[in-house]
Amino acid sequence: MSFALAADEIGVTLSAVSHQVRQLEDVLGASLFRRTGRGIVLSDEGRLLLPDLSEGFERIARTMAQFEAGPPARVLTVSMLLTFAMRWFIPRLQRFQAAWLVPETQSPAPAC
């Protein structure tokens, strides 16, 4: 475990990670890491926070992945008799699309 690896993973400098950790430790009033000659290890307080923080970061990562994938498809499928569609629904379709911001409409061939 090292701040250098963390810095590489999130694309910031080692100094930035170290500074943020120190600030967090000051706010919490506890050391989250013990510095050793070979790097760092979690303190008791750090081990206590690890599960909840890990879950939070995983949730953020999942949410970001959903945004990167694009908005979910919003599909409304409407089925009706041809005569009802021609006399009532189609004359109102433009108003419906405008009210619900429907970007496109697909009209399957009617089943007779």
Side-chain angles (χ1 to χ4, degrees):
M1 183 181 303
S2 77
F3 289 164
L5 291 174
D8 284 344
E9 185 169 331
I10 62 174
V12 299
T13 64
L14 170 60
S15 176
V17 170
S18 183
H19 182 73
Q20 290 297 315
V21 169
R22 286 262 187 233
Q23 278 188 319
L24 180 57
E25 289 175 332
D26 288 345
V27 168
L28 296 174
S31 293
L32 300 176
F33 300 94
R34 286 193 327 255
R35 282 96 178 143
T36 67
R38 300 184 68 186
I40 56 173
V41 294
L42 282 173
S43 67
D44 292 340
E45 292 84 355
R47 279 193 295 280
L48 181 66
L49 288 172
L50 181 62
D52 289 334
L53 292 178
S54 294
E55 181 183 332
F57 286 127
E58 288 170 11
R59 290 180 68 192
I60 291 169
R62 282 194 305 269
T63 301
M64 294 304 295
Q66 289 174 345
F67 273 95
E68 290 169 357
R74 294 175 54 187
V75 176
L76 172 64
T77 302
V78 178
S79 177
M80 64 194 76
L81 293 173
L82 181 59
T83 54
F84 180 79
M86 289 174 53
R87 292 193 178 146
W88 187 88
F89 185 73
I90 291 176
R92 291 163 177 81
L93 185 56
Q94 272 190 326
R95 205 169 58 214
F96 173 81
Q97 288 173 313
W100 291 98
L101 302 173
V102 178
E104 65 180 66
T105 302
Q106 296 177 347
S107 301
C112 297

